Amino acid sequence: MRFFSDNDAPVHPAVLAAIEAANASDAAYDGDALSQALDARFSALFERDVAVIWMPSGTAANALALSLLCPPYGGIVAHEEAHIVLDECGAVELQTGGARLLTCAGEGARLSVDSLRERVARQGTGVHHTRPYAVSITNVTEYGLVYRPDEVSAIGDFCRETGLALHMDGARFANAVAALGCTAADLSWRAGVDVLSFGCTKNGAMNAEAVILFDPARAYEAKRRRKRAGHLLSKGRFIAAQLHAMLEDDLWLANARASNAVAAPLGRAAGTRLLHPVQANEVFLRLSPGEAAALRAQGFGFHDIGEGVARLVTSWHQREADVAPFAAALAAL
């Protein structure tokens, strides 16, 4: 009955088992065997050599990633409703040492090459203007929409053309890959992404994210910045254990497919109330205050994200029978 956020979901049993198995003496920080094995594990997933920096939260992962791509005096172009802009309390600005977030608009929290080109041109190139150094996109977007590989590639080509780095906030990267049926490589480095924040916490982990560096030479600086920010946990093996568990037998994809699958019937039940196509595990719809109150009176929990706008988020542990009562209640409005 709870559709507030996939952050609310339980930890997957396989992840809990991996944490328990890691509860033995080993090297501290990231010197343990599990942490040391992450590069090879993720390199196999992404079909190339990568360096992996485990992190305890998505905000920490995004801030660390962007601090590697943009100096304190530079700018990061992002959608005006991006998570790094509205919901991370200035973490990117803090971790970069003062870089500016240069925002632009786009339907469904999506950026296009045209909107990026216009925003970069409007920024100016004179000494009085902040120079952009990076672009950050979110996949799945803040309104539940998915960038296809060709769309990411178009943005990646623009970034190469203009000398910008490309970061992807992949808090729901698994949901995007599951929805598209593509590979992790096709939706990231093959499309021009330089650094990916690979989310697991919303998808069945307890508190585990990964910064994927497609240029492993960045790893040394990334590790220093992680320590300086206070995110080098002394028992890092428990985060590494969660990441390994999520990759085992493609649990990260199975969980994402499950959460995507149960969002679809909610979208169908919403009918003309639907604000955006349901492409992953989020549903946005119009509800009057009275309708929202009536649904809550029946025991359904969800967030209001604006006047007359509700957001429903499904999670890996839910099945169609779990969402059927809400779908019926929506259809009956």
Side-chain angles (χ1 to χ4, degrees):
M1 307 286 273
R2 292 175 59 86
F3 298 92
F4 290 105
S5 173
D6 37 13
N7 286 311
D8 294 359
V11 177
H12 194 280
V15 174
L16 288 174
I19 292 171
E20 174 64 26
N23 194 25
S25 180
D26 202 335
Y29 304 109
D30 60 357
D32 61 279
L34 290 169
S35 295
Q36 292 293 302
L38 285 176
D39 286 359
R41 193 72 182 270
F42 276 91
S43 293
L45 174 64
F46 284 97
E47 305 172 51
R48 63 169 290 165
D49 287 341
V50 302
V52 180
I53 310 297
W54 53 247
M55 298 294 283
S57 76
T59 295
N62 286 336
L64 173 67
L66 286 164
S67 76
L68 296 169
L69 303 179
C70 185
Y73 46 83
I76 298 160
V77 183
H79 192 276
E80 61 191 6
E81 296 184 81
H83 205 268
I84 62 170
V85 174
L86 295 183
D87 296 294
E88 295 189 350
C89 198
V92 170
E93 294 93 324
L94 176 67
Q95 187 79 344
T96 57
R100 290 191 62 194
L101 296 179
L102 308 173
T103 63
C104 57
E107 181 67 24
R110 291 165 56 91
L111 295 179
S112 68
V113 171
D114 287 343
S115 64
L116 287 169
R117 195 178 302 280
E118 186 279 331
R119 184 64 182 88
V120 170
R122 177 159 49 92
Q123 188 62 22
T125 58
V127 69
H128 302 282
H129 309 122
T130 299
R131 174 186 161 188
Y133 277 79
V135 170
S136 180
I137 61 174
T138 311
N139 205 10
V140 178
T141 78
E142 286 72 16
Y143 284 101
L145 302 182
V146 173
Y147 286 97
R148 301 188 310 268
D150 62 301
E151 293 170 322
V152 178
S153 185
I155 293 173
D157 289 345
F158 168 79
C159 288
R160 297 297 175 270
E161 170 193 328
T162 52
L164 302 175
L166 180 57
H167 164 254
M168 180 179 286
D169 176 353
R172 295 186 176 94
F173 181 76
N175 299 90
V177 173
L180 295 166
C182 63
T183 68
D186 288 340
L187 201 55
S188 56
W189 66 269
R190 284 196 184 116
V193 174
D194 294 292
V195 181
L196 168 70
S197 301
F198 184 96
C200 287
T201 305
K202 297 179 189 298
N203 196 30
M206 179 182 290
N207 58 344
E209 310 286 309
V211 175
I212 311 297
L213 306 172
F214 297 112
D215 177 4
R218 300 184 192 271
Y220 177 74
E221 179 63 21
K223 291 180 178 182
R224 292 184 64 85
R225 288 172 182 266
R226 177 177 61 179
K227 173 63 176 179
R228 188 167 185 259
H231 295 307
L232 179 58
L233 307 186
S234 61
K235 291 182 172 63
R237 63 185 179 275
F238 292 105
I239 294 185
Q242 296 175 61
L243 295 174
H244 282 288
M246 291 298 296
L247 294 193
E248 188 70 25
D249 295 326
D250 282 337
L251 180 63
W252 69 288
L253 268 182
N255 283 358
R257 290 187 184 115
S259 59
N260 287 359
V262 291
L266 293 175
R268 290 192 294 270
T272 58
R273 299 173 184 277
L274 202 62
L275 289 169
H276 302 286
V278 178
Q279 297 181 346
N281 69 321
E282 295 176 279
V283 182
F284 295 83
L285 63 155
R286 296 182 185 89
L287 290 177
S288 70
E291 290 168 337
L295 290 170
R296 290 186 171 110
Q298 298 176 62
F300 301 113
F302 52 90
H303 282 305
D304 297 320
I305 62 163
E307 186 174 352
V309 179
R311 184 192 76 163
L312 317 176
V313 187
T314 54
S315 302
W316 69 267
H317 70 296
Q318 293 172 322
R319 299 297 178 260
E320 192 157 349
D322 298 319
V323 306
F326 201 168
L330 282 175
L333 287 177

